[in-house]
Amino acid sequence: IIEQIDALASIATEFSNFARLPSGTLENIDLQEVVKTAIQLFGDETKVRFKHHLQDSAIIIRADKEQCLRVLNNIIKNAIQACVDREEAIIEISYVIDGKSVELQIKDNGCGIALEEQARIFEPNFTTKTTGSGLGLSMVKNIMQGFGGSIRFESELQKGTSFFLHFPLQS
């Protein structure tokens, strides 16, 4: 049993090393366009409704477009999975701009994250699900830091979770 545990730990470490993505190519991108693309990828999901609160003008950030899409896909996929026991998953996406940065909020009406699990949510190999590697949110955090941004969340059991992605605006 100990040998199997060591083997599994070794595999988990290799996956973790793999999750350390290259910095990517930073370019000026419209965050709202990337969000629209991510929403379209989940367009075939049944019982999922998106509320996307668009801004009047483009929100230009400096990021790698593919990695930004990967971040959004991970957060949205997690949100949908958290709503599996709901009649309808409602994913609400909004923006707060303060002049130098934008905070993108992705809010779900899912099961929430237990208080005792919240401190570990960004740790590699930690998962609250029965499937998955537990690398998604760790990878998301690394990508956001590579953009000069950050990620945080707020959660309430049986009410849902909001993830806040903070990006510096391109000036």
Side-chain angles (χ1 to χ4, degrees):
I1 291 174
I2 291 173
E3 287 178 13
Q4 289 300 315
I5 291 171
D6 288 342
L8 290 173
S10 176
I11 291 169
T13 300
E14 290 303 315
F15 272 116
S16 184
N17 290 337
F18 177 73
R20 289 185 183 88
L21 300 170
S23 61
T25 304
L26 299 181
E27 58 187 339
N28 292 347
I29 61 172
D30 182 354
L31 181 58
Q32 293 186 115
E33 290 301 318
V34 179
V35 170
K36 286 180 192 174
T37 300
I39 290 171
Q40 288 173 349
L41 291 173
F42 294 94
D44 292 338
E45 293 283 337
T46 58
K47 299 185 344 181
V48 175
R49 182 166 43 111
F50 286 94
K51 294 180 180 179
H52 187 194
H53 304 283
L54 289 166
Q55 296 292 303
D56 292 335
S57 58
I59 301 172
I60 305 301
I61 62 169
R62 190 145 183 86
D64 181 280
K65 188 174 185 177
E66 293 303 315
Q67 288 184 0
C68 191
L69 190 57
R70 187 173 291 133
V71 164
L72 296 172
N73 289 342
N74 185 280
I75 300 293
I76 292 171
K77 180 181 171 189
N78 286 350
I80 292 169
Q81 289 174 344
C83 296
V84 71
D85 293 333
R86 301 290 191 248
E87 190 173 311
E88 179 181 47
I90 300 172
I91 313 296
E92 189 168 356
I93 301 171
S94 59
Y95 309 85
V96 175
I97 301 171
D98 73 3
K100 293 185 179 183
S101 63
V102 59
E103 188 169 72
L104 172 66
Q105 179 182 6
I106 302 172
K107 178 180 179 180
D108 67 57
N109 65 326
C111 60
I113 303 166
L115 191 57
E116 59 272 11
E117 296 172 335
Q118 290 184 15
R120 299 188 62 206
I121 206 75
F122 294 112
E123 289 180 12
N125 308 318
F126 177 76
T127 183
T128 61
K129 299 179 268 187
T130 56
T131 60
S133 63
L135 295 177
L137 288 175
S138 174
M139 179 184 66
V140 163
K141 183 177 180 182
N142 287 341
I143 290 172
M144 290 302 298
Q145 289 172 339
F147 296 160
S150 61
I151 181 172
R152 65 182 179 86
F153 69 95
E154 296 173 0
S155 187
E156 189 175 343
L157 282 178
Q158 302 310 316
K159 300 243 175 166
T161 301
S162 292
F163 275 89
F164 301 89
L165 304 170
H166 185 265
F167 297 90
L169 287 172
Q170 180 58 33
S171 47

